Structure formats: structure tokens, C-alpha cells
Amino acid sequence: VLLLVGAKVGRSASTEGAYRQMGVFTEVLSHIKSDYVEEPDLKNVTLGALNGLLESIDPFASYLNAEQYQLYRKHKDEYKAEAGLVLSKRFGYVGVVGTLPGSSAAKAGLTTGDLIESIKGIATRDMPLAYAELLLRGQPGSTVEISILRMRDPEPQKMTLTRAVIPDPPVTARMLPDQVGYVRPETLVPGKSAEVAAAVRELERQGAKGLVLDLRQCAVGTPEEGIALANLFLDKGLVTYLEGQKIPRQDFLADSAKIVTRLPLVVTTNRGTADGAEIAATALLENKRADVVGERTSGPSA
């Protein structure tokens, strides 16, 4: 009955504007309240609907109720230590995009695709992402218990993570066989593109004839640093652009003065490649500056 009602209202709403789609929600909510076998908790129903709405358009978006928002504002700058997890929403749960190198999450073997079933005994189903991140943060040396769901193991696995202030790992670089230079930035926080530039110049000095830029599991960073990274290898072309409903399009073009090498380039990616690393990989691919190999990346820049 609910599906039939939704289909009927949806057909009418589609011809009368986007906001008429709210009629579908109101109609279904009415039937849940009057026809469901038990009296539903409408607060939880509405919260689940809001989180589902946000997850369907952006896996990194969050809706906080009043209590959660007050806690978030109170503690967001107070807790400096973390477990080292990069998160997004998946199937209604909090999912792991990647881990910070050297963190307790990385040492525990958590990886891209794992689902967090609970944090501190609180189920993450329909939990706002910002609230999950708040629960995982705390004082240095303190611990947090989580349970993990994995495709290969249907039974939840409990583990305890130790929070710490995690130092940012340096860019690594070395020469591979056949004079191929290898460069790996594990994050793209501000300043990392300058480290990559220095590493590339040193590899060229050593005689590199080609480069591999390894962006696997590079999930932490900023869009600006991703743009700067791409520009190290591009002397012209569109890197990316910014545009919104009320924001006119702003193009970010490569600056020929910032290129550091024209050596042949291969970029490697996987499901843990996110944020600025995605921007860099996409720009290098679309400008035909590099071959990109590996897995599909994490987010909307894929």
C-alpha cells in the first residue's frame, strides 16, 4: 500500500516542481503512523529519513539534532587526539574511506570498505557523520571501543583503538628499476605539493626517465593542495572548477610557471584515494598528462 501511494503522488509531483516531492514523504509518513503494526517512534523515523536524504546526495554530509549539535560545538576544538580514521556514510552506516599512517586504526588493519557498526556501544546506523567523528576523538592516550562489519566476516568484530595526536607523514620517494622515479604523498595537507616538487627534482637529478605518483590511500587533504599537486605536472589546461547553485563557475587553470617536470607520468589510485588526491588524478587524466591505473576512487571527483 505504501509503495502504491508513493508512486501515485510521485507522478503528480514530478510535474509540479521539486518541492511537491515532499508530498510523497508526508503521505508515506501518514500511513506509517496509522497503519504500521506498532506505534512508530516518529522522531527516529524522521531522523533516519533526513540522514538518508543527505547520504543520497553526499556521503560526507551530516544532520545533527539539537543535542548532538551542542556536543559538537562544545568539543570539536577541545579533543585533539584521534583514532586515525577517514570516514563517509555507506548503506546508512559509518564507513571507512582510509586510515592515517601510523594511527591505531591503521595498525589494527582497518581499511577502505570496512563498516563501523557501533562506537562506544552506540549504533552508527543513521548516525550523523560529524557525530561519529566526535565520538572517535578525545584526549591523547584514551581509548575508544568500536565494532566492525566486513563483507568477508558477517560477525561484528570488536576492537579498541587508542587516540593520539598523529604526526603528518613525510612524502616518500625512491628510484625504481629502469630509472623510474616513485613518489608517494600519504596525505595532501597544506605544504605536501612542495614536498612532492622537491622529491621530483631530486629524482630527475638522479637520472629518472619516468615517474610514478602513488595516490593510493591518500584520503586526507584539501582541494587547494590537490590543485597545486596537479600543477606540478601541467603547464596548461583546466585543473578543476568550482560551481554552485548560487556561485558562478570559477575555473582553476594550470600555471606554466609552477610546472616542475615533463617526464612521462603514471598515477596509481584505489578506493582510498579521496579529496585533493582525486582532483589531482582527474586533472592529470583529463589533460592527457598521465595514465591513471588502479581502482575507482572514493568520492564524487572519481
Side-chain angles (χ1 to χ4, degrees):
V1 173
L2 296 180
L3 291 175
L4 290 174
V5 169
K8 180 178 178 181
V9 177
R11 282 197 299 271
S12 173
S14 65
T15 62
E16 295 181 36
Y19 288 102
R20 291 286 296 166
Q21 295 290 340
M22 289 302 296
V24 178
F25 178 80
T26 303
E27 186 79 10
V28 172
L29 188 63
S30 175
H31 278 273
I32 290 174
K33 182 172 175 58
S34 62
D35 300 340
Y36 191 63
V37 64
E38 297 175 349
E39 180 71 22
D41 184 337
L42 291 183
K43 180 180 178 181
N44 286 337
V45 170
T46 304
L47 182 61
L50 289 171
N51 279 298
L53 171 67
L54 287 172
E55 184 181 349
S56 70
I57 60 173
D58 187 343
F60 298 97
S62 295
Y63 168 79
L64 299 174
N65 63 29
E67 180 182 351
Q68 291 169 338
Y69 183 61
Q70 288 175 1
L71 281 172
Y72 180 78
R73 291 197 62 182
K74 180 179 179 181
H75 296 298
K76 68 183 181 72
D77 296 323
E78 175 185 341
Y79 296 149
K80 302 299 184 182
E82 58 181 312
L85 286 163
V86 182
L87 306 173
S88 71
K89 292 303 289 293
R90 263 185 100 220
F91 312 123
Y93 289 93
V94 173
V96 177
V97 175
T99 58
L100 298 181
S103 66
S104 61
K107 293 172 183 176
L110 289 165
T111 189
T112 307
D114 289 342
L115 298 178
I116 302 179
E117 183 195 41
S118 67
I119 304 171
K120 298 171 65 174
I122 305 172
T124 68
R125 181 74 180 179
D126 295 327
M127 178 185 286
L129 194 61
Y131 188 63
E133 291 174 342
L134 182 65
L135 291 177
L136 288 167
R137 297 181 71 88
Q139 299 301 329
S142 63
T143 61
V144 57
E145 187 174 275
I146 63 174
S147 63
I148 298 296
L149 292 172
R150 288 172 167 152
M151 293 294 184
R152 59 184 180 273
D153 186 0
E155 291 298 319
Q157 178 184 353
K158 290 186 177 181
M159 57 179 65
T160 300
L161 304 178
T162 301
R163 301 181 179 103
V165 177
I166 303 167
D168 188 63
V171 171
T172 57
R174 63 180 184 272
M175 192 72 78
L176 300 176
D178 300 320
Q179 292 180 289
V180 174
Y182 171 88
V183 182
R184 179 180 175 84
E186 299 198 59
T187 69
L188 281 182
V189 298
K192 286 300 164 184
S193 61
E195 287 188 43
V196 172
V200 168
R201 291 189 184 100
E202 176 59 23
L203 288 167
E204 278 205 273
R205 190 190 67 78
Q206 295 176 22
K209 295 182 179 179
L211 295 170
V212 174
L213 177 63
D214 189 352
L215 297 180
R216 292 173 299 170
Q217 298 302 132
C218 187
V220 176
T222 66
E224 293 79 9
E225 205 64 18
I227 293 169
L229 177 63
N231 205 161
L232 299 180
F233 306 95
L234 292 169
D235 60 358
K236 63 179 179 179
L238 177 68
V239 178
T240 189
Y241 65 90
L242 173 67
E243 187 174 22
Q245 288 191 51
K246 299 180 181 179
I247 301 174
R249 174 165 167 156
Q250 178 185 358
D251 289 344
F252 295 89
L253 303 175
D255 181 352
S256 60
K258 296 180 180 178
I259 187 172
V260 298
T261 184
R262 290 182 169 81
L263 288 177
L265 179 66
V266 171
V267 178
T268 57
T269 64
N270 67 1
R271 294 176 297 158
T273 305
D275 211 296
E278 285 184 295
I279 291 174
T282 303
L284 294 170
L285 177 65
E286 292 298 319
N287 283 281
K288 297 179 171 58
R289 175 62 179 89
D291 292 323
V292 177
V293 298
E295 298 177 314
R296 184 177 177 85
T297 57
S298 171
S301 299

